Amino acid sequence: MGEIQSGSDLREIAEKTQAQVRAFLSTVMEVASGSAPGAELSLLLLATSDLLGCGAHLAAITDVVPAERFEPDAGPDTDVDPLRAALAQMFDGFDDYVEVVDPVLGAEIGPATLSGDLACVVEELARGLAHYDDGHELEALWWWQFSYLSSWGERAASALRVLQAVLAHVRLDVEDDVAQEAEYDALHS
């Protein structure tokens, strides 16, 4: 499955992936800090969409197998609890949602949170970035690919769906008189 890649191709993919990871992490941190009032949903929607494109590319290539058969210690895991709490506060009223647990295996639904989804993605990406920053590019790429398939890809896809749905509700759920006035203005401008 996927296209066979050479070592230099994999390093190039790792370089592109780390840039996308840094952009996503920066956007999530910026939004969680409250420094983008009014643009939070749009920024997260764009960053998550871009990240999922990057993840799809990782899934499309052959399995990355680092030279060493063990994962070097990349240091302590990133503490995402403060981020999760900040996002949960920001998403108060729509943080909790339900989803189909595994749409391939059945229709069982389970609880999820948008803040938890984004925090999970951040945690997985940060772990790969720690490998990358330690000079272990192929280890980082292996981690990003593996964790995309096992966790962050699904969590990011779920978050994207919720972000899009909330943004649609914010933009489209308006009172009839407001919608009629906007339609009138558009037709007579």
Side-chain angles (χ1 to χ4, degrees), residues 3-160:
E3 179 181 327
I4 302 289
Q5 304 290 316
S6 71
S8 62
D9 288 343
L10 291 176
R11 282 185 173 72
E12 183 178 325
I13 293 168
E15 175 69 24
K16 290 178 181 176
T17 302
Q18 70 82 27
Q20 190 62 53
V21 164
R22 289 183 200 281
F24 178 81
L25 295 177
S26 175
T27 299
V28 174
M29 298 305 174
E30 176 186 346
V31 166
S33 75
S35 67
E40 301 94 337
L41 295 174
S42 297
L43 288 172
L44 289 172
L45 183 74
L46 289 168
T48 306
S49 294
D50 289 345
L51 182 66
L52 282 166
C54 178
H57 186 81
L58 293 173
I61 64 173
T62 191
D63 288 346
V64 176
V65 180
E68 300 295 325
R69 297 295 181 175
F70 65 93
E71 182 180 3
D73 184 7
D77 290 340
T78 302
D79 180 12
V80 296
D81 287 337
L83 173 70
R84 183 182 290 111
L87 291 172
Q89 183 176 358
M90 181 177 297
F91 301 147
D92 186 37
F94 62 88
D95 190 33
D96 295 313
Y97 69 96
V98 295
E99 68 175 343
V100 175
V101 175
D102 187 331
V104 174
L105 298 180
E108 176 188 354
I109 61 169
T113 63
L114 182 56
S115 60
D117 289 344
L118 292 172
C120 172
V121 174
V122 165
E123 185 173 33
E124 299 294 352
L125 295 176
R127 183 171 176 181
L129 194 56
H131 287 303
Y132 187 89
D133 289 344
D134 283 346
H136 304 287
E137 294 92 353
L138 293 181
E139 184 71 31
L141 190 58
W142 169 82
W143 179 255
W144 288 321
Q145 183 186 54
F146 168 77
S147 60
Y148 168 78
L149 294 169
S150 65
S151 65
W152 75 257
E154 180 181 5
R155 299 303 358 124
S158 292
L160 181 67

